[in-house]
Amino acid sequence: MKNRPPPLPDSAEPSTQAAPRWPASRMLRWIFGLQLVFAAILLGSDMLRVLPQLAFPSSAPAITQPLGPGDQTRRYDPAQIDPRPARPGTRPIPATTDMPSRLDFVDTVWDGQPVITLTGQIAPGDAARFADFLTTVDPAPTQAFLNSPGGSVQDALDMGRQIRSLGINTRMTATDICLSACPYLLAAGTARSVADGALVGVHQHYFGENTALPAFMAVENIQRGQGEVMEYLSDMDIDPLIMRHALLTPPDEIYLLTPAEMDSYQLTTSQ
């Protein structure tokens, strides 16, 4: 009969007890507290972004004030910009109501050619809506009339690439505006026309929503966004020096380009 090893002392026996667990109520309180911390961080980052503008609002003239040499910066608030009544016979769809909070797409015939009008703010998701809209337009449009105070940069870039891929010309009449992200739509036209009196303006952009990211990651996102814009302008044969005015103009102001500047940056083309 084989010898059995002596039994282990009680203190050396393997434990069969499970690790202590937090009560469900304590776990829920901890998760809720963590959510409050993240919400406070997000709110704080948003406040840091807008407080300077609230404390020191722009003293620039209203956007409706006439331009002068070296006097091209105007106050910018997309919620306060309404369409200017179109002059008879200059635009397929006269704009006489409030500026839509997201792009309104209309296809029609103008001077015997199929055209589309894009009116309103560029909201997130408008690029996908625009792609769906284009599938319903037959025959394909030859021109796109623009009238927008701007909005989502990424959607504007995506829509611009769609416009260029279809060989559509972009056009603005004398009472149209194209501000903030809208000039990227203008830049997409195979041919680009801006009538005297139209307002085309650029400024600094936000890229994506604020998140609780370290500062270096936030800067990286901004740099990535600017790089994408520069690549887009190059693909559209636009002089990237146009970004100089955008980078020097805060988000609550807009730098209005003169006809000579638009021509020098190739934002407009000879018709």
Side-chain angles (χ1 to χ4, degrees), residues 129-142:
R129 292 179 54 239
F130 185 59
D132 292 339
F133 165 75
L134 289 176
T135 63
T136 67
V137 180
D138 186 24
T142 60

Side-chain angles (χ1 to χ4, degrees), residues 168-221:
I168 300 173
N169 299 332
T170 50
R171 179 175 173 181
M172 295 177 61
T173 66
T175 55
D176 291 329
I177 62 171
C178 189
L179 310 175
S180 185
C182 177
Y184 303 132
L185 299 181
L186 176 63
T190 304
R192 305 173 289 277
S193 172
V194 176
D196 289 340
L199 302 179
V200 179
V202 296
H203 65 174
Q204 296 169 7
H205 296 305
Y206 295 122
F207 293 92
E209 298 296 329
N210 276 346
T211 56
L213 294 176
F216 76 91
M217 293 183 68
V219 171
E220 181 181 353
N221 284 345

